[in-house]
Amino acid sequence: MGKNDTVELLKGLHIFDSTLRDGAQGEGISFSVQDKLNIVRALDELGVAFIEAGNPGSNPKDLEFFGEVGKLKLENSRLVAFGSTRRKDIAVTDDPNLRSLLAAGTEYVAIFGKTWDFHVTDILRATKEENLSMIEDTIRFLVAEGRKVVYDAEHFFDAYLANPEYSMETLRAAVSGGASLLALCDTNGGTMPDDVQRITALVSRECNVPVGIHCHNDAGLAVANSIMAVKAGATQVQGTLIGIGERTGNANLSTIIADLELKLGMPCLPKGKIASLTHVSRRVAETANISLDGGMPFVGLNAFAHKAGMHIDAVTKNPKAYEHVAPDSVGNERSFLMSEVAGRSMIIEKIRKFDSNIQKDSPVAAQIVARVKELEHAGYQFEGAEGSFELLVRKNIGKYRPFFDLQYYKIIGEQPLDGVSATAFAQIKIGVEGEMAITAGEGDGPVHALDVALRKALERFYPGVKEIRLTDFKVRVLDSKSATAAKVRVLIESTDGNHVWSTVGVSSDLIEASWLALVDSFEYKLISDVEKRFKAYL
Ligand SMILES: [Zn+2]
């Protein structure tokens, strides 16, 4: 890529992700070399223009990473190595950090320098003139070595507000050294949006190179400040994809990207890439080993989840009623949460599956809503347990019949002789229309053993149960603060090869909770089979 191409690239609106550098400063974040490679792949898939990949001078892990990452074939992104201006009192050619920076072998480098006079004199303990030559020398040296330099003006907004003349002098030093872009940093994260807009506009007018913006979120304004800077002429937006970073984090790029593209009509990714925003954000969160905040704009699990009954009712009529953009525009999904406030319309919809005559104000609807509330209070959750919810509705509208009665079950745990497989035995006795069946089952744990025994007992009467397979089993301890009152919620997912359904059970006893979820699973299957046969006769 020639020099002019670079200028064109930097002049157009684009994204500079610092998850691997500034993001790595976040509390509890620690990336292995493999994690970093995965994140680079994900960001390249999303199509960010630049990936700031770390500081090769600061630790050997980063230098090893630059060796590995060079082997990746990236489609959209360019890697950037990060470092600081030369140390005071030494020549650029003698600075070991600058040598490591060159060793990283990236076409682009980002260099940060001091712009706030108070930092120069009180923290760096250098003269203001020395600082100016540190900036200019460093950039000139790197440019002479064939690098394109993004200059990060640390604390720029605080610096400008404290001493506008000196802060502008530092930028002029960077430009005269040959910087390709000036990134204005709100390093302490405390600047207000109108100041960011005013100062960015001024720098864009006065300096003859493209300008970037780098915000931190200490005042909760990193996204707003970044947007204001773009409106004032900044073309590069720096941040971290999911907002991780020191203290309160960096500007959240997933939010900024969606705002720029969907709200302001300012494309900042290659065409169509925004549809992978949710997926890539979740992958980065997973690699960083943090759970993505459900309420994160655009990409969070709840970004398009509707709970209040009136809202659900409205959204089913027209999504625009409570959604500012379509969920699939960022690759997310709309969801409805079942809950105490779910209101009736959701439940009515479901009831109508079984009885198309039911009316919105019918007493049975109120009865079901009340029952859902009661069960939720006891620890049930019907989100992700549609099978159990359907049975609950059936029980209330008279479209349910029990398929068997349980006489007893018994579990015996066995210490394995080989020390490997934990075995459990279950014995159960059930009655089906007056006939009794007693069976035993063996499994790797009590739930598996119960499943085997129940299946054996029912097969004789209902051959369809042979098709059921349990595909997932989740246990969640509720009220974990008070151990004596602790309850467990068991969620089971089952399939018969054609359908998948989930059921739930809650009890203070794990086996009892599992049994309840298991019985729902079998009953759901049996009831569905009976209905199919009934329909076939019609
Ligand atoms: Zn920063």
Side-chain angles (χ1 to χ4, degrees):
M1 186 180 275
K3 195 163 190 218
N4 288 335
D5 297 338
T6 301
V7 172
E8 288 311 310
L9 170 77
L10 296 174
K11 268 187 186 166
L13 186 59
H14 63 276
I15 299 295
F16 181 111
D17 181 282
S18 188
T19 299
L20 297 180
R21 201 272 299 171
D22 237 1
Q25 306 300 316
E27 157 79 29
I29 304 287
S30 165
F31 296 125
S32 68
V33 169
Q34 192 52 49
D35 291 339
K36 291 186 170 197
L37 294 172
N38 290 342
I39 289 176
V40 168
R41 272 194 213 97
L43 291 170
D44 180 50
E45 183 192 326
L46 180 63
V48 304
F50 293 99
I51 298 172
E52 192 171 42
N55 184 345
S58 75
N59 69 72
K61 224 164 75 173
D62 274 6
L63 203 54
E64 179 197 346
F65 163 73
F66 276 103
E68 290 296 314
V69 78
K71 299 174 195 159
L72 292 183
K73 283 248 169 305
L74 300 182
E75 302 254 318
N76 303 296
S77 307
R78 293 151 197 84
L79 292 167
V80 182
F82 172 88
S84 75
T85 52
R86 73 161 167 83
R87 285 194 219 148
K88 61 176 179 177
D89 307 326
I90 62 170
V92 272
T93 42
D94 295 333
D95 191 311
N97 288 332
L98 288 176
R99 241 175 290 136
S100 318
L101 197 66
L102 290 173
T106 56
E107 185 187 359
Y108 289 84
V109 295
I111 287 294
F112 83 94
K114 300 282 183 199
T115 56
W116 194 353
D117 54 357
F118 134 77
H119 258 268
V120 175
T121 51
D122 290 36
I123 314 289
L124 195 63
R125 295 189 192 280
T127 64
K128 291 197 231 173
E129 292 68 33
E130 170 78 348
N131 181 52
L132 294 176
S133 58
M134 283 161 66
I135 296 170
E136 189 171 339
D137 292 357
T138 305
I139 298 175
R140 178 162 293 130
F141 168 69
L142 292 168
V143 170
E145 293 286 336
R147 301 304 192 271
K148 285 153 190 155
V149 179
V150 168
Y151 176 67
D152 284 348
E154 198 189 27
H155 293 114
F156 185 75
F157 296 96
D158 293 316
Y160 185 89
L161 292 170
N163 185 343
E165 292 79 24
Y166 184 70
S167 67
M168 290 305 287
E169 256 183 86
T170 65
L171 293 187
R172 280 192 284 273
V175 173
S176 96
S180 296
L181 180 138
L182 303 172
L184 311 181
C185 304
D186 186 21
T187 309
N188 293 2
T191 310
M192 293 291 117
D194 52 348
D195 284 334
V196 169
Q197 186 177 30
R198 179 172 61 84
I199 296 168
T200 306
L202 190 138
V203 173
S204 300
R205 266 198 315 273
E206 300 217 345
C207 299
N208 205 17
V209 290
V211 169
I213 183 74
H214 176 114
C215 294
H216 282 258
N217 200 36
D218 299 75
L221 292 167
V223 167
N225 284 345
S226 304
I227 301 279
M228 294 318 275
V230 169
K231 289 195 162 192
T235 57
Q236 176 174 91
V237 184
Q238 300 194 356
T240 60
L241 187 64
I242 53 173
I244 56 174
E246 211 167 357
R247 306 186 307 272
T248 57
N250 283 62
N252 185 318
L253 289 175
S254 63
T255 308
I256 293 171
I257 289 169
D259 282 339
L260 289 173
E261 295 219 349
L262 302 176
K263 318 294 296 194
L264 298 173
M266 302 175 90
C268 55
L269 295 178
K271 203 166 180 357
K273 288 292 190 182
I274 192 171
S276 61
L277 190 65
T278 299
H279 153 77
V280 171
S281 301
R282 290 180 189 173
R283 211 159 94 211
V284 168
E286 217 173 276
T287 311
N289 199 23
I290 54 171
S291 56
L292 197 70
D293 178 9
M296 191 172 283
F298 299 100
V299 300
L301 205 59
N302 303 329
F304 301 95
H306 303 279
K307 195 160 186 173
M310 242 169 49
H311 293 191
I312 292 175
D313 193 42
V315 165
T316 29
K317 286 176 186 143
N318 186 343
K320 246 172 40 189
Y322 288 97
E323 286 173 3
H324 69 132
V325 296
D328 56 5
S329 61
V330 289
N332 206 339
E333 282 178 337
R334 173 179 309 130
S335 61
F336 296 120
L337 303 175
M338 301 277 288
S339 79
E340 293 189 54
V341 285
R344 292 186 179 192
S345 52
M346 255 310 265
I347 292 171
I348 302 277
E349 286 279 302
K350 300 219 171 223
I351 303 172
R352 286 208 177 116
K353 259 176 77 187
F354 315 108
D355 185 349
S356 51
N357 298 322
I358 220 119
Q359 290 309 308
K360 228 176 173 170
D361 50 4
S362 110
V364 81
Q367 191 183 313
I368 294 171
V369 172
R371 182 72 185 133
V372 168
K373 279 186 189 177
E374 195 183 313
L375 286 169
E376 283 187 338
H377 188 68
Y380 275 79
Q381 204 180 62
F382 293 101
E383 285 157 32
E386 296 289 308
S388 290
F389 183 77
E390 187 173 318
L391 288 169
L392 178 135
V393 172
R394 284 174 177 279
K395 282 173 188 168
N396 282 276
I397 61 173
K399 295 223 167 179
Y400 165 85
R401 68 171 176 93
F403 287 82
F404 61 92
D405 4 277
L406 174 72
Q407 305 292 314
Y408 70 81
Y409 65 75
K410 202 154 103 186
I411 305 285
I412 307 152
E414 204 55 67
Q415 271 317 96
L417 288 175
D418 58 6
V420 180
S421 51
T423 316
F425 296 99
Q427 193 182 58
I428 71 170
K429 181 177 178 183
I430 58 161
V432 177
E433 286 161 13
E435 250 189 274
M436 290 298 157
I438 302 177
T439 54
E442 186 186 354
D444 7 292
V447 180
H448 186 205
L450 268 177
D451 174 42
V452 173
L454 180 61
R455 193 178 294 261
K456 261 196 225 166
L458 290 174
E459 261 171 24
R460 233 174 83 199
F461 308 98
Y462 311 109
V465 301
K466 282 186 203 152
E467 296 162 5
I468 305 176
R469 264 188 314 116
L470 304 189
T471 50
D472 197 16
F473 175 80
K474 278 194 209 96
V475 179
R476 170 106 194 255
V477 178
L478 310 167
D479 317 310
S480 47
K481 273 176 232 137
S482 60
T484 47
K487 275 188 178 177
V488 283
R489 178 162 65 222
V490 171
L491 269 168
I492 290 179
E493 191 187 276
S494 316
T495 181
D496 61 2
N498 292 317
H499 297 102
V500 177
W501 62 94
S502 316
T503 51
V504 60
V506 174
S507 166
S508 52
D509 175 49
L510 172 64
I511 294 176
E512 164 83 8
S514 308
W515 170 258
L516 293 170
L518 198 62
V519 168
D520 269 11
S521 168
F522 278 68
E523 287 198 328
Y524 180 88
K525 162 69 175 163
L526 293 172
I527 244 170
S528 308
D529 282 359
V530 168
E531 297 226 319
K532 249 177 267 157
R533 216 170 308 136
F534 178 63
K535 275 187 192 140
Y537 280 114
L538 279 177

